[in-house]
Amino acid sequence: MTRTEKTLAALNSWEKRPFTYGSADCCQFAAHIARAITGRDYMTAFEYANEQEANALIDDRGGLESLVCSVLGAPSESLEDGDPVLLRLPMLGDLLGIRLHDYAVGLSAVRLLEIPERFITKGWHVCHK
């Protein structure tokens, strides 16, 4: 199965459910895709049960980018389908999504969003270990 096929299969396996911090949020979504590609569970570093705990975790690490770097290492210039990306959206702020083809997919409080590539500020290449 190719990387793109793994990414699409993971997208299809994401259960549509209400946005809930700690179980169905942007970080959980990106980790779900990364787990399908790599077999590794990255969410052990993202333990929180509500919005306040999520914000405290992000603040304690110096922001969402720093938090992701603490788990995935330095950002990469070479990204593939399924790689986690940091998106900066004018109306939503920062959120974590994944790269897919020449755009990104992210989970908002309302639904999955297809986001133009220009909103990707950083990305992290994940690979099977």
Side-chain angles (χ1 to χ4, degrees):
M1 186 178 280
T2 68
R3 174 106 176 192
T4 299
E5 290 169 336
K6 286 181 181 182
T7 301
L8 293 172
L11 280 169
N12 286 329
S13 71
W14 176 257
E15 295 176 34
K16 185 177 179 181
R17 55 195 182 268
F19 185 95
T20 306
Y21 283 94
S23 65
D25 59 42
C26 69
C27 291
Q28 299 288 334
F29 168 73
H32 171 81
I33 304 299
R35 184 174 45 250
I37 292 169
T38 67
R40 294 181 59 195
D41 183 4
Y42 295 94
M43 287 314 296
T44 56
F46 292 99
E47 293 182 16
Y48 50 90
N50 55 48
E51 183 176 7
Q52 293 77 20
E53 289 179 12
N55 287 333
L57 181 62
I58 290 168
D59 290 344
D60 287 348
R61 299 282 175 92
L64 185 56
E65 180 181 340
S66 294
L67 176 60
V68 176
C69 284
S70 73
V71 176
L72 298 178
S76 175
E77 295 295 321
S78 177
L79 300 175
E80 296 181 44
D81 287 344
D83 283 336
V85 293
L86 182 64
L87 302 159
R88 183 154 296 138
L89 302 173
M91 301 296 287
L92 299 175
D94 288 353
L95 66 95
L96 201 58
I98 59 125
R99 181 179 181 84
L100 184 61
H101 305 303
D102 59 351
Y103 58 93
V105 177
L107 180 65
S108 76
V110 180
R111 67 182 190 284
L112 284 175
L113 303 171
E114 185 176 304
I115 302 162
E117 184 176 43
R118 71 179 179 273
F119 293 104
I120 296 173
T121 62
K122 304 275 190 227
W124 294 264
H125 181 64
V126 293
C127 56
H128 187 41
K129 299 211 179 198

